[in-house]
Amino acid sequence: MPDKMETIVSLCKRRGFVFPSSEIYGGLANAWDYGPLGVELKNNIKQAWWSRFVHRRDDVVGLDAALLMNPKVWEASGHLQHFTDPLVDCKKCKQRFRADHIVPATSAKPDLGKQVEPPKGKAVCPNCGGELTAVRQFNLMLKTFLGPVEDSGSSVYFRPETAQAMFVDFKQVQAVTRKKLPFGIAQVGKAFRNEITPGNFIFRTREFEQMEIEFFVRENEWEWWFEHWLSEMKGWLKFLGVAETDLNFREIPDGERAHYSKRTIDIDYHYPFGSKELYGLAYRTDFDLQRHAEVSGADLRYTDPQSGEKFFPHVIEPTWGVDRSVLVTLLSAYAEEGSGDKKRVVLKLPKTLAPYRVAVFPLLANKPELTKLAREIYDDLRKTFNVAWDDRGNIGKRYLSQDEIGTPACITVDFDSLKDGAVTVRDRDTTKQERVKIGELIEYLIKL
Ligand code: ATP
C-alpha cells in the first residue's frame, strides 16, 4: 500500500472517525477530534480494557482521580525537575527537533531523572541540513492557573500521566477495598504533555489518553508479576488484532532506563512512519511510594496482615496509550480486497470493537411495508447494540459503506421477510449471506 497512514487519515476524516480539531478556525496544530464513529471505537477499546483488567480480575480496582493535582505531587515525582526532552533548533530553517529523535545512533529515550546525551558528532538539521543549536532541556509539563490571579501561588499542572494519583491515593484505596498484596489500581484518563514535535496523526499529540495499572507487589515477587503483565499485554494486543510481526519488544538496557526502574520493556509497533513506542512496561521498584511518603509526610507503607510488618510495596506498571491503541487497531484492521468493480475496502475490526455491531436496511426505501418491518428490527436491536440504519442507494453500495467502517453484519429486510419472518444477514469478512429468523437475531449476532 503506497502510504497507509495517508489512507487511514483520509478514511478517518471522510467517515467521521477522527478529524482536525476546530477546523473552521484553521485548526489547532496536532489536535484531533474523535467523530461519531471514532468515539464509539475509542470507547469500545476503553470498555474492553476495563472489563478485561478490572472487572474480570479480582486483584485490580479502579480509580478516576482529578486531573489537576496539588503541585507538590509533581515535585515529589520528579516531573518538575526532570520531565524534559532535549530540544535543538536549526539555525537555518528554525525548525525544532527532539535531539534524541535525530540521532539514530542512540536509542536513548528521555525519562524522569535521566538526561539524554546531546547529539554527538555532526548531527545536522534533518529538514535542510543546517547547523543545530546546542541541546536545551525543555520541560513537558503543561502549566495553568487556578482562580483569578495568575501568579506562582496559583499555578498548577495538567497531569502528564495518570500514574501518580494511583500512588498518592494508594493508602486510601487499600483501606477502603481491604485488598491484600498483590493488587493493582487501574485508571483511564487524559494526560497532557507539551511535546516538542507532536505529529503523525494521533500517534503523538499534546492531549492524549492513557490506560494504566500500578500493580503493587512484594519485592521478592516482582519478576513473576513483570512476566505476568508482559503476557497480559501480549494477550491484549492479540485481542486488538495486532499481528506479532508488527511488534518489537525492546528491552531498555541499563543506563537508559529511568532512574527508578530496574527493568523496562517498550513495546514498539512498526507504524508506516517507523518503529516506535506503542506501550510500555516498567518495574518501578518502591520509588514512587517512598518519594510521596517522604515529601508528604504520610505513611504510605503497607501492613502485612499476618506478621504486622510494615513496608513499601514495589510496583509493576503496564501502560497503554488509548490513541495509539486506536491507531494500531485501525492500521491492523485495514484491508483492500478484490479489484476493479469488485474492489472493497474493509476494516476487519474485532467485532466487539466495531463502532456499529450491525446495520439494518430495507431492501427498497420507497416500500413502506419493508421500511416498517426494518425499522421495528432496528429499534429492537438498538436495545442491545449500537446499530446503523441505511436506506440510501442500492444494497451493494450499502454493504461497501458498512465494510469500510468495519460493521460486522448487515441485515436486509426484503419481500420474503414479510412472509417468512426471516432476514438476510451478510457477514463482513466472508461476505456470505444467511437467512436468520427475526426472533433469533440477537442470539445470532452475539454468537457472531
Ligand atoms: P514516547 O517515547 O513515544 O514519547 P513515552 O515513553 O514518553 O513515549 P510513556 O511516558 O511511557 O511514553 O507513556 C505511556 C504511554 O502513553 C505510551 O506508551 C504511549 O502509548 C502514550 N503516550 C505517551 N505520550 C503520548 C503522546 N504525546 N501522544 C499520544 N500518546 C502518548
Side-chain angles (χ1 to χ4, degrees):
M1 219 168 289
D3 190 337
K4 203 169 173 186
M5 262 324 266
E6 252 175 51
T7 311
I8 293 289
V9 173
S10 127
L11 170 73
C12 282
K13 179 157 180 15
R14 189 158 34 84
R15 298 306 306 267
F17 280 93
V18 181
F19 32 73
S21 160
S22 29
E23 209 179 10
I24 60 165
Y25 289 104
L28 175 71
N30 302 294
W32 300 93
D33 292 344
Y34 285 80
L37 296 186
V39 66
E40 296 297 337
L41 174 61
K42 183 155 97 147
N43 280 346
N44 287 344
I45 288 177
K46 290 192 282 184
Q47 271 159 20
W49 185 91
W50 194 264
S51 151
R52 190 179 183 105
F53 296 122
V54 183
H55 290 174
R56 280 194 252 149
R57 298 182 64 114
D58 73 349
D59 57 0
V60 177
V61 294
L63 181 72
D64 184 10
L67 210 153
L68 299 170
M69 301 175 79
N70 187 313
K72 289 212 176 88
V73 169
W74 310 114
E75 204 180 296
S77 67
H79 281 85
L80 285 184
Q81 201 188 343
H82 297 301
F83 196 54
T84 55
D85 272 346
L87 168 74
V88 286
D89 294 277
C90 171
K91 290 184 181 168
K92 203 164 136 203
C93 72
K94 309 290 176 212
Q95 272 212 36
R96 293 203 147 152
F97 303 95
R98 247 172 78 171
D100 59 321
H101 280 177
I102 57 174
V103 190
T106 171
S107 58
K109 124 191 200 338
D111 220 327
L112 295 190
K114 173 145 193 355
Q115 299 296 309
V116 174
E117 290 287 307
K120 288 192 189 91
K122 290 192 204 74
V124 289
C125 172
N127 184 40
C128 72
E131 197 190 334
L132 298 172
T133 61
V135 177
R136 304 194 301 285
Q137 292 300 327
F138 174 79
N139 196 291
L140 300 179
M141 300 285 283
L142 258 173
K143 201 180 196 176
T144 189
F145 301 94
L146 286 185
V149 188
E150 292 191 7
D151 63 15
S152 60
S154 65
S155 58
V156 289
Y157 300 89
F158 287 106
R159 65 181 179 200
E161 59 178 29
T162 62
Q164 292 305 319
M166 297 184 267
F167 300 126
V168 172
D169 291 354
F170 166 75
K171 213 47 200 274
Q172 295 233 46
V173 173
Q174 197 269 328
V176 294
T177 58
R178 309 230 152 258
K179 286 281 176 203
K180 297 196 181 96
L181 290 185
F183 79 95
I185 306 178
Q187 192 172 199
V188 176
K190 292 258 178 169
F192 295 79
R193 295 183 187 176
N194 206 359
E195 298 276 2
I196 298 170
T197 48
N200 288 319
F201 193 37
I202 51 174
F203 170 76
R204 188 182 300 286
T205 49
R206 294 191 170 112
E207 172 183 350
F208 57 96
E209 251 179 307
Q210 293 182 316
M211 307 184 282
E212 293 194 298
I213 296 175
E214 304 306 325
F215 199 80
F216 301 94
V217 301
R218 287 181 164 80
E219 184 175 5
N220 63 5
E221 57 192 16
W222 77 264
E223 278 158 310
W224 192 92
W225 284 105
F226 192 94
E227 293 305 326
H228 169 82
W229 281 107
L230 184 58
S231 144
E232 288 294 312
M233 293 181 96
K234 287 181 182 169
W236 167 258
L237 284 160
K238 201 165 171 192
F239 163 73
L240 289 189
V242 177
E244 256 179 68
T245 47
D246 283 334
L247 295 166
N248 180 28
F249 292 80
R250 194 159 47 91
E251 188 84 45
I252 307 298
D254 288 351
E256 289 188 18
R257 284 189 303 270
H259 60 295
Y260 53 73
S261 172
K262 284 223 175 121
R263 189 176 177 198
T264 298
I265 289 183
D266 278 359
I267 305 178
D268 290 353
Y269 178 84
H270 303 309
Y271 300 92
F273 47 87
S275 187
K276 295 189 190 301
E277 179 167 330
L278 167 59
Y279 301 144
L281 175 64
Y283 166 42
R284 297 180 72 121
T285 67
D286 57 356
F287 172 82
D288 304 273
L289 288 179
Q290 285 246 32
R291 275 296 291 161
H292 286 300
E294 197 182 306
V295 177
S296 69
D299 183 0
L300 297 180
R301 288 173 303 171
Y302 172 81
T303 309
D304 185 281
Q306 249 104 52
S307 67
E309 186 203 352
K310 281 177 179 283
F311 59 93
F312 288 105
H314 282 234
V315 172
I316 306 294
E317 178 193 68
T319 169
W320 294 256
V322 175
D323 310 82
R324 292 185 193 179
S325 299
V326 172
L327 180 57
V328 299
T329 301
L330 287 169
L331 284 165
S332 305
Y334 185 87
E336 289 176 8
E337 290 179 353
S339 57
D341 281 357
K342 295 248 157 60
K343 184 179 161 182
R344 69 172 188 143
V345 166
V346 53
L347 276 189
K348 294 190 171 176
L349 294 169
K351 291 176 177 164
T352 51
L353 296 184
Y356 295 114
R357 276 292 277 279
V358 59
V360 178
F361 318 142
L363 181 65
L364 299 169
N366 57 0
K367 296 286 173 203
E369 62 276 37
L370 294 186
T371 305
K372 182 170 175 283
L373 179 57
R375 203 81 206 172
E376 278 166 23
I377 295 171
Y378 171 67
D379 288 339
D380 195 42
L381 291 180
R382 271 191 302 140
K383 291 176 198 146
T384 314
F385 309 112
N386 195 28
V387 189
W389 170 266
D390 196 356
D391 57 9
R392 298 157 310 157
N394 63 40
I395 290 287
K397 284 209 175 120
R398 295 182 209 163
Y399 284 155
L400 290 183
S401 167
Q402 295 300 325
D403 287 345
E404 199 184 41
I405 59 170
T407 309
C410 293
I411 292 173
T412 304
V413 174
D414 54 24
F415 292 103
D416 286 343
S417 309
L418 302 173
K419 287 179 246 149
D420 65 3
V423 289
T424 301
V425 183
R426 184 253 197 194
D427 182 275
R428 175 193 73 192
D429 298 338
T430 62
T431 72
K432 292 224 170 74
Q433 303 187 1
E434 244 186 291
R435 286 301 276 184
V436 179
K437 288 270 173 222
I438 293 170
E440 290 164 13
L441 273 173
I442 292 186
E443 207 185 327
Y444 178 90
L445 291 167
I446 287 172
K447 269 205 203 126
L448 201 80

